[in-house]
Amino acid sequence: MSHQGQTGQNSAVIAVLGTGIIGAPVARNLHRKGFAVRVWNRSAQKAHALSEEGIAVAADPAEAVQGADIVITVLKDGPAVESAISSIRPDNGHAIWIQLSTVGIKPTARLKELAAAKGWTYFDAPVQGTRQPAEAGKLVILASGPTEGRERVQPIFDAIGSRSVWVSELAGDATRLKLALNSLVLALTHGTAESLSLAKALGVDPALVVDVVKGGPLDSPFFQAKASAILNENFEPSFSIDNAIKDSKLVDAAAKEAGLKLDLVTAGESRFKRAAARGAGKLDIAASYLA
């Protein structure tokens, strides 16, 4: 691995595992802020553009993490994170692990145990936001973990986000908050898609729905973004249907464990699956409209 990369005013060496829709912008923003960044991605092609920008690309997770002060995981799900971290021998000293992926409650508990076995300090820090906020460095970081070490991770959060919400000292509580927020995101997505599809089916221009909502109590940047995607049939993914199915399952599992029945989440998962069956799995969640 080439150890090129900007070190600047920030001396911490950071390994970013996962360079997808969120991971690549995270690595770029850390690099721009002067951190020494190394990345790894299961599909090496996705990391290629980062190497052209002066960010070191590793062949495997162990190479990326070797000698790193801080490890950041931005992978698809719990099994992917666990597989990557488990492949690393526990010879990295007392590293800090920042887990940005949305993985659910039980996987978070397993990852916390894995961190303890390696002697790493674990911060549960899923993010609120998709492609555009990630690229702009305006993610909202939901963080939970020990007070010791927070002064080391806060500059990282500041480099990739506009706001950090410290939920508690118990790693896992941030994931619980993220799941509650995701239930709202999913409901807003399906509500927008179904409203516009109903208007069209009834012979009304769907753009009129957006026109009426604009500037009123139902309006929001999220509604405008998803409605625009639907009206323009531009489903470039900020967050994909496949990932939404994964998150729907995580929310539903958490609700059932808490003794709740979330009807909207269950129905929404079914709707996402219908869209995926029509070939929309890699498209943005606004493609719920296609179901």
Side-chain angles (χ1 to χ4, degrees), residues 114-158:
L114 183 57
K118 291 181 178 295
W120 292 1
T121 301
Y122 183 78
F123 288 96
D124 169 37
V127 297
Q128 188 77 4
T130 52
R131 181 195 296 272
Q132 291 84 0
E135 290 175 347
K138 294 187 180 299
L139 294 167
V140 176
I141 295 91
L142 314 174
S144 58
T147 54
E148 184 179 355
R150 288 188 184 184
E151 73 284 352
R152 294 182 65 193
V153 303
Q154 191 60 58
I156 293 167
F157 293 164
D158 293 343

Side-chain angles (χ1 to χ4, degrees), residues 46-288:
K46 284 188 176 181
H48 179 67
L50 295 173
S51 68
E52 295 180 341
E53 297 173 32
I55 297 175
V57 178
D60 54 46
E63 185 180 2
V65 168
Q66 181 63 40
D69 304 294
I70 295 169
V71 178
I72 299 176
T73 44
V74 204
L75 296 160
K76 180 180 180 181
D77 53 26
V81 175
E82 189 169 355
S83 174
I85 296 298
S86 295
S87 70
I88 301 166
R89 294 178 59 185
D91 58 357
N92 205 58
H94 191 73
I96 287 177
W97 177 8
I98 301 172
Q99 211 299 102
L100 300 183
S101 315
T102 301
V103 300
I105 294 173
K106 288 184 177 179
T108 294
R110 288 197 297 272
L111 298 179
K112 184 179 176 182
E113 291 174 357
L114 183 57
K118 291 181 178 295
W120 292 1
T121 301
Y122 183 78
F123 288 96
D124 169 37
V127 297
Q128 188 77 4
T130 52
R131 181 195 296 272
Q132 291 84 0
E135 290 175 347
K138 294 187 180 299
L139 294 167
V140 176
I141 295 91
L142 314 174
S144 58
T147 54
E148 184 179 355
R150 288 188 184 184
E151 73 284 352
R152 294 182 65 193
V153 303
Q154 191 60 58
I156 293 167
F157 293 164
D158 293 343
I160 66 174
S162 61
R163 184 180 175 208
S164 303
V165 178
W166 284 99
V167 182
S168 79
E169 295 182 31
L170 180 64
D173 280 354
T175 283
R176 289 173 170 84
L177 176 58
K178 177 64 189 297
L179 294 176
L181 288 164
N182 272 5
S183 70
L184 177 60
V185 169
L186 300 174
L188 291 173
T189 300
H190 292 306
T192 302
E194 290 190 351
S195 178
L196 297 187
S197 62
L198 179 60
K200 183 177 181 179
L202 296 178
V204 175
D205 183 356
L208 290 174
V209 172
V210 181
D211 182 53
V212 173
V213 168
K214 186 176 181 180
L218 296 178
D219 202 7
S220 70
F222 186 86
F223 169 79
Q224 290 293 336
K226 296 311 173 190
S228 175
I230 291 168
L231 294 177
N232 293 300
E233 299 184 358
N234 178 9
F235 298 113
E236 180 182 357
S238 288
F239 189 75
S240 72
I241 292 279
D242 286 343
N243 277 325
I245 292 171
K246 181 262 295 184
D247 279 7
S248 296
K249 292 179 185 296
L250 295 178
V251 173
D252 190 47
K256 287 178 178 175
E257 191 170 330
L260 293 178
K261 185 176 188 299
L262 300 186
D263 301 283
L264 292 181
V265 172
T266 303
E269 181 185 338
S270 175
R271 185 174 179 87
F272 280 137
K273 285 180 176 177
R274 292 203 311 275
R278 297 188 62 179
K282 303 302 180 185
L283 302 182
D284 187 76
I285 50 175
S288 161

